[in-house]
Amino acid sequence: MPLRGNWNYPTAIRFGAGRIAELPEACRSLGMQRPLLVTDAGLARLPVVAAALDILRAGGLAAGLFSDVRPNPVGADVLAGVAAYRAGGHDGVIAFGGGSGLDAAKAVALMVGQSRPLFDFEDRDDWFTRVETAGMAPVVAVPTTSGTGSEVGRASVITDESDHTKKIIFHPKMMPALVIADPELTIGLPAAVTAATGMDALSHALEAYCSPVYHPIAQGVALEAIRLVKEWLPAAVRDGTDIVARSHMMAASSMGATSFQKGLGAMHALSHPCGAVFDTHHGLTIAVVMPYVLAFNRPAVEARLTALARYLDLPAPSGRAVLEWVLRLRAELGIPERLAALGIGLEAVARLAPMAAADPSCGGNPRPLDAPTLARLYEDAIEGRLAG
Ligand SMILES: [Fe+2]
């Protein structure tokens, strides 16, 4: 069976190697003649962006490029993108990249139609009802990493420069209308990036799976996403040209983000402040803290983790078996064991812990979290101390 398909859940997805060729037609299907391709500055220097622009122009579309987006995008990046969209007379957005490019692009597409400032649309209470939906630009999303899953997400994570916090900008219509999921675009990713982004995908599925929120649809998606990561992430890291491994990881990434409508947890609550304050890579930070959070949460989710261990075909199924698998995977992928390796020391804990406690991801964690608890988790992750 070829690893290819047209899926309509959770949005329209054209999945399969080589399908970037369909980009011009995908844009036209959403009424675009002059799309603005939004991506991050690092990716814009790589051939994959030039190739996409060539495909668009050969397909008769007057495409523009906006790439003043930094890793961990900030509000000013979004506003600059809105200015570029207006100056170029564009009629739609191609969200292209890893998490930074996709999130910035989705926020640009939202903001071209708004009169309020960006952070008025933070994911709090019913703030999303402030959005004037008629002005939002249509979006085709093209992921180039397998981790964030933002191509099927209804939110963007943007850093607020005024207080150095990561804020979630949310509206249900931020879900891109169309996704082109072409695993060939991930072939050139270095092994370390493949590993870190893959662990982000795993964390989305694992945190969603452990969240106590009742959502059996998302629960099933999370379970299979975790299995795909177990089967295929090591192969994708070992040989980046393995298109079968790349395909399964791209599917797992979209599935992770689909499942976390059920909630995230402490892995994300701990990692967001590290990214906002120290500009650490999101997936790498997640991968470092993952076992500490899993060990802490085990008492609340032992039965659930045992069922997961059975599905993953781990020996002696139990929460401990899942934890030991995660530790083996992290070591196999060459990911550091401690946050100290990312330049985060004990002196940072007093600043980071209250920020983590304010992070909305805390709401999905199976054990209650407060600032002292999160401070202990940071200390564990800095000093390499596993609970239990
Ligand atoms: Fe994440």
Side-chain angles (χ1 to χ4, degrees), residues 14 56 67 200 273 313 320 343 349 378 384 387:
R14 301 181 183 194
L56 287 163
S67 62
D200 189 29
D313 210 13
R320 171 156 293 282
V349 172
Y378 275 124

Side-chain angles (χ1 to χ4, degrees), residues 148 200 203-204 260 264 268 272 282 286:
T148 167
D200 189 29
S203 77
H204 297 152
F260 79 61
L264 287 170
H268 279 79
H272 286 153
H282 175 71
I286 286 277

Side-chain angles (χ1 to χ4, degrees), residues 259-276:
S259 66
F260 79 61
Q261 290 194 18
K262 187 170 176 280
L264 287 170
M267 295 173 201
H268 279 79
L270 291 167
S271 296
H272 286 153
C274 297

Side-chain angles (χ1 to χ4, degrees), residues 10-273:
T11 187
I13 302 174
R14 301 181 183 194
F15 188 95
R19 299 197 72 176
I20 190 67
E22 298 174 29
L23 185 56
E25 189 269 310
C27 290
R28 281 207 183 82
S29 76
L30 297 179
M32 298 183 204
Q33 293 297 328
R34 299 178 57 80
L36 180 64
L37 189 151
V38 178
T39 192
D40 67 84
L43 198 61
R45 288 190 287 271
L46 299 181
V48 68
V49 168
L53 289 170
D54 285 346
I55 288 169
L56 287 163
R57 286 172 191 145
L61 292 177
L65 172 67
F66 175 76
S67 62
D68 289 337
V69 174
R70 63 202 88 187
N72 294 316
V74 301
D77 298 339
V78 176
L79 299 188
V82 170
Y85 183 95
R86 290 186 179 141
H90 294 288
D91 55 10
V93 168
I94 298 169
F96 196 96
S100 307
L102 293 173
D103 280 14
K106 286 161 59 186
V108 168
L110 169 78
M111 289 306 293
V112 296
Q114 310 307 317
S115 46
R116 284 170 172 265
L118 174 64
F119 293 108
D120 274 12
F121 306 116
E122 195 187 347
D123 188 12
R124 292 193 180 277
D125 305 322
D126 62 350
W127 288 12
F128 75 92
T129 59
R130 297 167 167 177
V131 169
E132 296 165 43
T133 54
M136 291 171 71
V139 177
V140 175
V142 183
T144 60
T145 64
S146 294
T148 167
S150 183
E151 69 277 4
V152 295
R154 303 172 302 165
S156 293
V157 180
I158 305 291
T159 299
D160 184 346
E161 310 93 309
S162 71
D163 60 1
H164 292 282
T165 59
K166 286 202 170 194
K167 291 187 172 156
I168 297 172
I169 307 299
F170 169 82
H171 190 278
K173 289 198 168 170
M174 287 177 76
M175 171 84 76
L178 191 58
V179 176
I180 292 184
D182 182 347
E184 279 184 358
L185 303 184
T186 66
I187 290 285
L189 281 179
V193 180
T194 303
T197 50
M199 290 298 275
D200 189 29
L202 172 60
S203 77
H204 297 152
L206 193 53
E207 295 217 277
Y209 180 81
C210 291
S211 153
V213 172
Y214 180 68
H215 195 325
I217 301 171
Q219 194 75 352
V221 173
L223 191 60
E224 176 64 2
I226 297 167
R227 190 190 69 81
L228 286 174
V229 171
K230 175 171 179 279
E231 295 295 315
W232 297 104
L233 179 55
V237 171
R238 257 194 319 272
D239 175 7
T241 67
D242 182 340
I243 194 66
V244 173
R246 291 292 196 184
S247 296
H248 286 305
M249 280 308 301
M250 184 159 268
S253 169
S254 293
M255 292 165 73
T258 302
S259 66
F260 79 61
Q261 290 194 18
K262 187 170 176 280
L264 287 170
M267 295 173 201
H268 279 79
L270 291 167
S271 296
H272 286 153

